Amino acid sequence: QTHYQAVHHMFVASARAVIMGHEMMPDALFGAMYAMSELYPATCRPEDMFRHMQVRRENFYFIDSMARGYYPSYAKDLWDRRGIRKIRMEEGDAEIMRKGQLDFVSFSYYRSNIVKAGDSSFTVGGSPNPYLKKSEWGWALDPLGLRYCMNEIYDRIQKPIFIVENGLGAVDAADENGYVEDDYRIEYLKNHLTEMANAI
């Protein structure tokens, strides 16, 4: 209850900041950064597909509300499942959110995960994908997932999107001259940039 009430206040505060920013700098664009991981259903079982949709909605709750300027149609279902009695909204909050919707969405992307029926709620967690190789940190290497994310976000909001974080965490070992031969990182970035170009 406290979490989602605080999130509502954050939505309104963000919208007020966007409105004020547009008044101060009419040509400027305002957005927010969002932690994003692609999420796949573990199987094509209807129960896994449905759980995937539920968790994906929980993940997109923030983008949908802030970039569209109103709560998504599934918000009440999400609140009900989380035991939220009611979000207290002041008079004028809905109009402020509408007027102060984001001009763009920026996001980070490092990996993807899978979800299945029975999995508990989470934001960017999930289970490892058995079809993908993993980094030394245990994160799935999924450049196609970046393309998926870009298309998925743009299809939802149809506003500019920006990738502000991406990269490969690895235990780099320097040679006797202090040089790191990190072809694996070059390959990672090459593959992700290729899929970014494909998404565009």
Side-chain angles (χ1 to χ4, degrees), residues 70-89:
Y70 56 87
Y71 280 103
S73 59
Y74 58 80
K76 186 174 185 314
D77 174 66
L78 191 157
W79 297 336
D80 288 346
R81 286 189 291 108
R82 291 291 182 97
I84 308 302
R85 295 183 301 278
K86 184 179 181 182
I87 301 295
R88 183 174 54 82
M89 301 183 192

Side-chain angles (χ1 to χ4, degrees), residues 3-200:
H3 172 81
Y4 279 92
Q5 185 64 55
V7 167
H8 173 73
H9 294 317
M10 187 271 296
F11 287 163
V12 174
S14 170
R16 284 183 180 276
V18 171
I19 292 167
M20 184 183 298
H22 284 155
E23 289 170 355
M24 295 168 64
M25 298 169 284
D27 295 330
L29 299 177
F30 296 88
M33 187 270 188
Y34 177 72
M36 184 75 170
S37 289
E38 193 47 68
L39 189 68
Y40 307 114
T43 73
C44 56
R45 289 174 56 232
E47 295 83 1
D48 289 347
M49 295 295 293
F50 188 76
R51 184 61 185 142
H52 169 263
M53 182 191 73
Q54 286 182 314
V55 175
R56 208 66 183 136
R57 282 176 165 179
E58 291 177 22
N59 203 234
F60 273 114
Y61 177 80
F62 300 91
I63 281 181
D64 287 344
S65 300
M66 296 173 75
R68 294 176 179 175
Y70 56 87
Y71 280 103
S73 59
Y74 58 80
K76 186 174 185 314
D77 174 66
L78 191 157
W79 297 336
D80 288 346
R81 286 189 291 108
R82 291 291 182 97
I84 308 302
R85 295 183 301 278
K86 184 179 181 182
I87 301 295
R88 183 174 54 82
M89 301 183 192
E90 302 296 334
E91 186 176 348
D93 281 2
E95 181 66 9
I96 290 168
M97 284 179 63
R98 188 188 64 76
K99 287 184 177 177
Q101 61 187 269
L102 301 179
D103 300 311
F104 67 86
V105 169
S106 57
F107 66 97
S108 62
Y109 175 85
Y110 293 100
R111 63 181 180 199
S112 63
N113 291 300
I114 61 172
V115 64
K116 64 184 182 306
D119 283 353
S120 61
S121 297
F122 47 79
T123 304
V124 293
S127 303
N129 189 329
Y131 296 100
L132 296 173
K133 293 179 181 177
K134 297 175 183 58
S135 72
E136 293 178 72
W137 289 3
W139 290 5
L141 303 176
D142 186 10
L144 185 59
L146 175 60
R147 179 181 182 180
Y148 196 125
C149 279
M150 291 175 67
N151 291 149
E152 193 176 23
I153 295 171
Y154 189 79
D155 286 350
R156 294 180 82 96
I157 64 166
Q158 297 180 7
K159 293 181 178 181
I161 60 175
F162 297 90
I163 304 163
V164 294
E165 285 185 27
N166 177 251
L168 175 68
V171 182
D172 298 314
D175 63 17
E176 64 276 7
N177 299 314
Y179 179 77
V180 174
E181 187 73 54
D182 62 345
D183 290 345
Y184 44 87
R185 183 171 285 110
I186 293 169
E187 184 71 10
Y188 174 98
L189 292 171
K190 174 186 172 187
N191 292 338
H192 281 71
L193 288 168
T194 297
E195 292 303 338
M196 182 175 70
N198 289 338
I200 293 168

